[in-house]
Amino acid sequence: MYSSLISIAKKLSSHEHLKQLHAQMILNSLHQNSFWVSLLITKCTRLNAPSSYTNLVFNFVQYPTVSLYNCMLRYLSHLGAHHEVTALFQKMLRAEVRPDAFVYPILIKSAEKSGIALHAHIFKLGYICDRILSNGIMAMYAKHGPIEVARQLFDEMSDRAVADWNSMISGCWRWGLEIEALRLFDVMPQRNVITWTCMVTGFSRIKNLERARWYFDVMPQKSVVSWNAMLSGYAQNGFKDEAFKLFNEMLDAGVHPDDRTWTIIISSSSSHGDASLVELLVGMLDAKKVHVNPFIQTALLDMSAKCGKLEAARDIFDELGTHANTAARNAMISAYARVGDLTSARDLFGQMPERDIVSWNSMIAGYAQNGQSPQAIELFKQLIEVGHPKPDEVTMVSALSACGHLGALELGNWVVDFLSKADIKLSISGYNSMIFMYSKCGSMKDAMRIFKEINLRDVVSYNTIIAALAAHGDASEAIKLVSKMGKEGIKPDRLTFIGVLTACSHAGLIQEGRKVFESINCPSVDHYACMIDLLGRAGELDEALRLLENMPMEPHAGVYGSLLNAGRIHRRVELGELAAKKLFELEPNNSGNYVLLSNVYAAASRWKDVERVREYMKQKGVVKATGWSLAEYDGKIHKFIAGDRSHERSKEIFGFLSKLRQKMRQSGYFADKDCVLSDIEEEDKEEMVGVHSEKLAISFALLVSKPGSVIRVVKNLRIFRILGTSNGTIWPAYDEGMVYPYLKDKTTKC
DNA sequence: CTAGGGTTAG
């Protein structure tokens, strides 16, 4: 009677088969039989059956035996449902089913993965003498800390098995006790493959690939796990070529890659973004008839997405169906975010049954990288409100970057404050994003402070601070830093030179700029654009033109843009026209170019030509991009669009603006053109085009400000600090450094 | 059913 059941059980390889078997069991009235249900649930574990189904099967049984409980606990633990493990264990105790020796290793493993302390207490009560259990408990402390407790248990052991040494060594590596791990390795009486593999992963983790490789090479035998460990070491540290080389060596050595090997290889080739590599790998998987599990599928999904094949990624995602775990969903979210489809990303994010920190980070970064900083910050605040999962460095990098793009210093300070209170450890990239935030918000002092405080800097740290100095026109400091980075053994890259050249340009340092330009090994188009900008701004327009004509590559829009701007500043209409002509070809829809050309004519008082450009724009259907400004007030960002009345206090703002103007006119006050509130003559034109966004922002700032408060209005590089309404003084915040030199000394009183 | 290796975010 059971033979047909056994034959079904043997070939179980899909969820469908599970259902078939269960149906047969019901037919044979075996769905109450602990033995058969155990068998089925063991299969469920292996095939990652959904918990809804497995729970159904389990709940059929009225009086489960100990071993059936064990199977179910193992299933839940495998699934990562550690709270359910605890619950089921308690249910088992309530049902007066006496736990046998097999249940504890399952519970310990679950406790180990989840760090649920409750379990540990249960075992400590009397199972410490069993060597497997004592190892389990020690391993738990080694993994989750405190490592000292693990050490104490280890020292108390009467006779230590290799497994105990291995757990302890692994724990030492995990908690950064490199020296102790090495010492234990040296003094232990016996070592096995696992011990050696521990050393390989240990050294990989601290990025010492050479020593990791040394242990890998000298180990007496290797298992697939050892190969995987070494491969993963290379992959995680960005040594893709070495990973591939080792993978080939592995195949040559006749070692069969397992599913984890494939996962590592696929994910490490993801960053290549090379479509042909996808085909190669998929071909290999086919040829070797590899069973593609959800891990491999997720890696494939991610790789397809990174090669720009969103459709293929979505296909894999749909194929995964119920097997799509959090990681797979996260991969899909970032795939959408990468192409800018934030709606789909957010939909998926909203539908997730469980969200881990990667889910939040993917979504927040998605917003931050697609120019939607307010949404990024909004989501970050939501995460803090929910309280879990705990934000990590990646979260903070995105949040800080969003604050930086908005110029929101108040928010930025809040994020930094949160970060230190939550005790989130930062690496170089975390500090770099802090430097970025401060410098974008105009707090050069803080940016410099962080830059000096961190003892490890990389090329990104330097590029960030140099770009900031460039924006402030502090060229001498920028040049100093380049030579400093040389002393620290950091090689300047493309972006470094762009930064220094920009700095020279803003400070008008032609000689220094020339020297820097000549020192660049193989200047790119961007470097030429910077150099032409530098020469052009400084008035050396003929030299700029010569440089342009002798470029070894085709100039891009940036190069002509620099020339056009130079033509405007120095009223060289013919150069401006030349540049504009090229720009209209290269970027026919960029309204900025048309505006710039009309400014060239305006600067030369050729009003007819100004009109002609405007006509030309209309004729071509080019719409001038709407201006916008931001004001940060009370931790919130207020956005103002030119001529727009959508702000909730719009009425008051417009009223305030007109009062302000009256006051200015009465006092006969007149300031020059760069002061936003001063260009009264433009008022009539505003009737047609709408009020400039910056005026709205500043009016708002003045309206809400209390004496002594600081309100920041940010647009491009201009930050206004409001000292109070009593005398209504505003000025560009050059005290914080964030202005071009030509804005200096432009203080307005209203 | 002790100890080593996997997917996703910057």
Side-chain angles (χ1 to χ4, degrees):
Chain A
M1 159 186 176
Y2 296 150
S3 62
S4 69
L5 279 178
I6 291 173
S7 77
I8 295 177
K10 269 187 184 162
K11 59 176 190 186
L12 285 174
S13 65
S14 74
H15 190 199
E16 265 323 295
H17 291 150
L18 292 178
K19 283 187 183 160
Q20 269 179 36
L21 178 65
H22 196 219
Q24 285 291 320
M25 280 163 58
I26 291 171
L27 275 180
N28 291 301
S29 300
L30 288 173
H31 57 288
Q32 288 276 355
N33 180 308
S34 273
F35 169 75
W36 280 97
V37 176
S38 301
L39 188 125
L40 191 58
I41 291 179
T42 311
K43 291 287 182 181
C44 285
T45 310
R46 193 159 310 153
L47 294 173
N48 291 314
S51 60
S52 52
Y53 174 75
T54 316
N55 275 322
L56 193 75
V57 172
F58 179 77
N59 289 333
F60 257 127
V61 187
Q62 261 178 318
Y63 302 106
T65 60
V66 199
S67 56
L68 178 54
Y69 270 113
N70 288 350
C71 281
M72 194 59 193
L73 287 167
R74 206 172 289 136
Y75 168 80
L76 291 170
S77 165
H78 176 78
L79 210 67
H82 300 295
H83 286 281
E84 281 79 352
V85 171
T86 318
L88 188 63
F89 180 64
Q90 282 165 350
K91 187 177 164 194
M92 176 178 169
L93 295 178
R94 275 199 304 276
E96 294 189 4
V97 176
R98 218 185 131 74
D100 62 5
F102 293 121
V103 73
Y104 291 104
I106 305 169
L107 291 177
I108 290 176
K109 198 149 200 175
S110 167
E112 219 183 70
K113 284 186 186 157
S114 64
I116 298 173
L118 172 69
H119 290 159
H121 293 301
I122 300 171
F123 320 122
K124 267 173 144 177
L125 294 176
Y127 290 87
I128 200 84
C129 47
D130 185 292
R131 51 162 49 261
I132 293 180
L133 292 181
S134 62
N135 178 283
I137 292 166
M138 189 193 80
M140 188 187 77
Y141 282 114
K143 215 171 228 172
H144 295 280
I147 180 75
E148 290 76 19
V149 179
R151 185 59 204 242
Q152 199 179 342
L153 292 171
F154 179 76
D155 288 338
E156 281 165 5
M157 284 178 180
S158 47
D159 71 312
R160 287 179 279 241
V162 194
D164 298 317
W165 289 89
N166 289 346
S167 297
M168 198 61 226
I169 290 179
S170 162
C172 286
W173 278 117
R174 184 177 296 274
W175 294 90
L177 308 172
E178 180 197 336
I179 311 282
E180 189 56 15
L182 278 170
R183 199 186 65 81
L184 288 174
F185 180 84
D186 282 340
V187 299
M188 68 194 286
Q190 263 186 338
R191 300 176 194 102
N192 60 14
V193 213
I194 297 173
T195 326
W196 288 93
T197 311
C198 263
M199 300 311 273
V200 174
T201 30
F203 277 112
S204 296
R205 220 176 271 152
I206 59 167
K207 302 180 190 305
N208 192 337
L209 273 306
E210 272 145 36
R211 284 199 77 176
R213 185 56 192 255
W214 183 84
Y215 281 90
F216 180 76
D217 283 336
V218 301
M219 61 200 287
Q221 322 114 9
K222 297 177 183 63
S223 66
V224 209
V225 181
S226 322
W227 287 90
N228 288 347
M230 193 66 234
L231 282 171
S232 158
Y234 281 135
Q236 302 261 304
N237 290 290
F239 297 100
K240 294 163 230 143
D241 298 337
E242 280 83 351
F244 273 98
K245 224 177 116 203
L246 192 69
F247 180 57
N248 282 324
E249 280 175 42
M250 180 179 176
L251 297 179
D252 289 344
V255 184
H256 267 296
D258 68 0
D259 45 358
R260 296 192 185 215
T261 320
W262 290 107
T263 324
I264 299 166
I265 288 301
I266 293 169
S267 74
S268 82
S269 47
S270 288
S271 44
H272 274 305
D274 183 350
S276 63
L277 208 56
V278 184
E279 279 159 34
L280 182 82
L281 283 169
V282 171
M284 278 175 96
L285 290 175
D286 270 350
K288 301 205 182 255
K289 294 198 168 41
V290 179
H291 173 68
V292 180
N293 67 16
F295 277 100
I296 300 182
Q297 275 177 297
T298 305
L300 283 172
L301 187 163
D302 182 56
M303 184 159 76
S304 304
K306 283 180 180 154
C307 294
K309 297 199 277 190
L310 187 70
E311 296 275 311
R314 180 71 212 198
D315 286 346
I316 299 174
F317 185 73
D318 291 336
E319 213 174 286
L320 272 162
T322 52
H323 295 294
N325 59 12
T326 309
R329 287 163 198 266
N330 292 344
M332 199 61 224
I333 287 176
S334 64
Y336 280 130
R338 201 171 290 122
V339 296
D341 185 355
L342 294 169
T343 319
S344 303
R346 188 61 190 254
D347 278 350
L348 208 55
F349 179 80
Q351 289 162 14
M352 283 178 84
E354 262 175 18
R355 287 183 275 259
D356 64 8
I357 192 58
V358 182
S359 325
W360 287 87
N361 289 347
S362 310
M363 201 60 231
I364 295 173
Y367 282 128
Q369 283 159 25
N370 283 287
Q372 306 211 24
S373 304
Q375 284 87 337
I377 288 168
E378 195 53 44
L379 202 59
F380 173 69
K381 282 185 173 168
Q382 212 174 307
L383 169 64
I384 308 291
E385 216 162 277
V386 177
H388 62 87
K390 193 183 172 232
D392 65 2
E393 185 181 9
V394 182
T395 327
M396 304 321 282
V397 168
S398 295
L400 287 169
S401 151
C403 293
H405 284 297
L406 290 172
L409 184 60
E410 212 176 300
L411 266 173
N413 277 328
W414 174 72
V415 172
V416 173
D417 191 52
F418 173 86
L419 182 150
S420 63
K421 275 188 186 139
D423 198 29
I424 296 168
K425 296 271 169 297
L426 293 188
S427 69
I428 299 184
S429 56
Y431 287 113
N432 287 347
S433 63
M434 261 170 90
I435 296 172
F436 173 79
M437 185 278 288
Y438 278 130
S439 49
K440 271 292 211 183
C441 291
S443 279
M444 244 356 242
K445 268 182 220 144
D446 288 310
M448 264 318 222
R449 180 172 53 79
I450 306 289
F451 181 79
K452 283 180 179 150
E453 262 172 31
I454 55 176
N455 42 19
L456 259 181
R457 286 169 280 261
D458 64 3
V459 68
V460 181
S461 329
Y462 272 97
N463 288 351
T464 311
I465 201 90
I466 288 173
L469 290 166
H472 304 148
D474 192 348
S476 60
E477 187 67 28
I479 291 170
K480 260 189 236 160
L481 283 179
V482 177
S483 63
K484 193 173 168 223
M485 71 193 283
K487 278 177 212 146
E488 278 181 33
I490 300 164
K491 256 188 83 166
D493 67 3
R494 210 177 61 86
L495 293 172
T496 320
F497 288 118
I498 291 178
V500 190
L501 287 176
T502 311
C504 292
S505 179
H506 290 170
L509 299 179
I510 317 185
Q511 275 315 106
E512 284 80 351
R514 281 201 190 102
K515 258 202 278 181
V516 172
F517 187 73
E518 273 155 28
S519 74
I520 304 173
N521 217 338
C522 182
S524 71
V525 208
D526 295 323
H527 297 131
Y528 276 95
C530 290
M531 197 59 203
I532 287 163
D533 182 65
L534 190 161
L535 293 168
R537 272 179 202 266
E540 304 286 341
L541 275 91
D542 297 310
E543 192 182 338
L545 193 60
R546 263 204 306 282
L547 189 63
L548 192 152
E549 281 162 352
N550 290 320
M551 279 173 64
M553 70 285 274
E554 203 53 43
H556 64 10
V559 179
Y560 291 114
S562 300
L563 192 67
L564 177 55
N565 191 38
R568 179 185 65 89
I569 296 170
H570 298 285
R571 303 185 185 180
R572 290 278 296 268
V573 178
E574 87 290 358
L575 284 182
E577 284 174 331
L578 183 132
K581 201 177 156 216
K582 287 283 188 183
L583 279 169
F584 295 161
E585 282 168 25
L586 289 167
E587 309 174 320
N589 290 317
N590 186 342
S591 63
N593 297 328
Y594 298 87
V595 175
L596 215 52
L597 179 64
S598 85
N599 289 346
V600 172
Y601 289 130
S605 305
R606 286 168 57 168
W607 306 109
K608 262 195 182 154
D609 289 316
V610 172
E611 205 47 48
R612 200 167 50 86
V613 176
R614 290 211 181 138
E615 276 304 309
Y616 187 56
M617 263 178 94
K618 242 188 235 163
Q619 195 190 317
K620 286 217 156 186
V622 182
V623 188
K624 190 177 173 233
T626 36
W628 50 268
S629 292
L630 303 171
E632 183 184 30
Y633 171 62
D634 200 20
K636 267 197 197 136
I637 300 294
H638 299 257
K639 185 169 183 173
F640 298 90
I641 301 163
D644 184 75
R645 287 184 172 263
S646 62
H647 193 274
E648 51 184 14
R649 299 180 67 174
S650 182
K651 217 173 167 184
E652 288 172 78
I653 295 167
F654 275 87
F656 190 81
L657 179 60
S658 84
K659 244 197 270 165
L660 208 60
R661 282 184 166 136
Q662 255 173 10
K663 216 172 145 190
M664 282 173 74
R665 213 175 269 149
Q666 279 162 8
S667 65
Y669 202 90
F670 184 82
D672 66 24
K673 216 168 170 303
D674 277 313
C675 286
V676 177
L677 288 169
S678 64
D679 40 4
I680 302 170
E681 334 90 275
E682 276 195 12
E683 204 176 329
D684 298 331
K685 285 182 205 159
E686 279 172 5
E687 295 297 320
M688 290 151 24
V689 290
V691 182
H692 197 294
S693 64
E694 217 163 26
K695 288 179 190 161
L696 295 178
I698 292 177
S699 303
F700 169 73
L702 283 168
L703 184 67
V704 296
S705 65
K706 295 177 194 80
S709 65
V710 175
I711 293 184
R712 308 163 55 76
V713 176
V714 186
K715 170 100 198 256
N716 298 327
L717 292 168
R718 297 165 64 178
I719 294 165
F720 296 88
R721 174 182 283 242
I722 283 100
L723 286 189
T725 47
S726 50
N727 66 356
T729 306
I730 57 170
W731 65 66
Y734 53 82
D735 55 330
E736 294 181 0
M738 201 67 176
V739 279
Y740 286 121
Y742 61 77
L743 275 180
K744 270 187 187 161
D745 307 320
K746 305 261 167 86
T747 308
T748 311
K749 272 195 175 176
C750 325

